[in-house]
Amino acid sequence: MEGWGKTVVEGWGKTVVEGWGKTVVEGWGKTVVEGWESGRRPRPPSASLSPMSDLSVRHATPSDIDAVLLFWRTAAEGTSISDDRDGVARLLDRDPEALLLAEREGVLLGTVIAGFDGWRCHAYRLAVHPDHRRQGIARALLDSAEQRFVALGGRRSDAMVLEANERAHRAWEASGYHREDHWRRWVKPL
């Protein structure tokens, strides 16, 4: 981020957000949106980040797997049957752009898995290092995930959020997500 009015996030494309009213997205084509985006009131990009922040968002690569697994032990709530080297490697093999990493000066600060199965957009493993929360990192990751979903033709994003993780509930709500109480997740280990 350069100053308070401009954010550059690099990864699968390049996003430049200037001030409150103009967004330029480059990557899969070019889109310019003036004024309010998607009917939402514009917000300053990651306004709680320090003005000299150099946060970047990029795709994970196979060489990142061990660092991501270690990071999740510190930053993520709960564990999954897929939280192992083989599970993350399968994810990257199937969809190399799904796992997004937020870094500052080469230090991993956050993750999100932005999966799209051709029907629905799913966000998993949104995690920010405990020492770096409330700095706009989750917002930058979700913005990148949502831009990916839109570029892939997605219409709605859903998120898996642990029931007992109240802090996460507030973060998802602040990003425009809402709870749907009429749905329950049913699982069966294979």
Side-chain angles (χ1 to χ4, degrees):
M1 179 135 68
E2 301 163 16
W4 281 105
K6 183 175 182 182
T7 300
V8 177
V9 180
E10 296 179 358
W12 43 267
K14 183 176 182 181
T15 303
V16 179
V17 181
E18 298 178 306
W20 282 75
K22 181 178 179 184
T23 302
V24 179
V25 180
E26 299 172 0
W28 295 295
K30 183 175 182 179
T31 304
V32 177
V33 179
E34 298 284 346
W36 292 12
E37 291 182 45
S38 306
R40 293 185 292 179
R41 183 177 182 269
R43 64 181 181 275
S46 304
S48 60
L49 286 171
S50 68
M52 294 304 172
S53 170
D54 59 350
L55 184 71
S56 64
V57 174
R58 67 172 177 88
H59 299 118
T61 66
S63 66
D64 295 311
I65 293 174
D66 292 330
V68 167
L69 290 168
L70 184 62
F71 176 80
W72 284 344
R73 287 187 203 135
T74 301
E77 298 287 331
T79 58
S80 166
I81 195 170
S82 303
D83 287 356
D84 60 26
R85 186 169 233 305
D86 289 340
V88 179
R90 273 190 303 280
L91 169 68
L92 296 179
D93 186 51
R94 184 183 183 287
D95 187 351
E97 297 181 351
L99 178 53
L100 302 174
L101 308 179
E103 298 175 321
R104 184 177 294 135
E105 297 179 7
V107 176
L108 180 58
L109 300 179
T111 67
V112 69
I113 297 174
F116 181 64
D117 60 13
W119 182 260
R120 290 201 174 114
C121 306
H122 306 282
Y124 308 95
R125 279 294 182 221
L126 177 63
V128 174
H129 191 282
D131 295 340
H132 297 275
R133 291 182 178 151
R134 303 204 44 83
Q135 296 178 22
I137 296 168
R139 171 77 70 182
L141 284 162
L142 288 176
D143 285 348
S144 294
E146 292 166 6
Q147 290 165 11
R148 177 175 195 261
F149 294 152
V150 168
L152 292 171
R155 298 179 187 175
R156 178 183 70 180
S157 175
D158 66 40
M160 290 183 19
V161 183
L162 289 172
E163 189 68 28
N165 192 343
E166 291 294 326
R167 182 177 50 237
H169 296 185
R170 290 188 298 274
W172 285 101
E173 287 172 355
S175 294
Y177 289 74
H178 66 276
R179 178 189 180 116
E180 289 189 338
D181 289 327
H182 58 281
W183 292 102
R184 289 290 180 257
R185 181 175 176 225
W186 293 42
V187 300
K188 176 184 176 183
L190 301 175

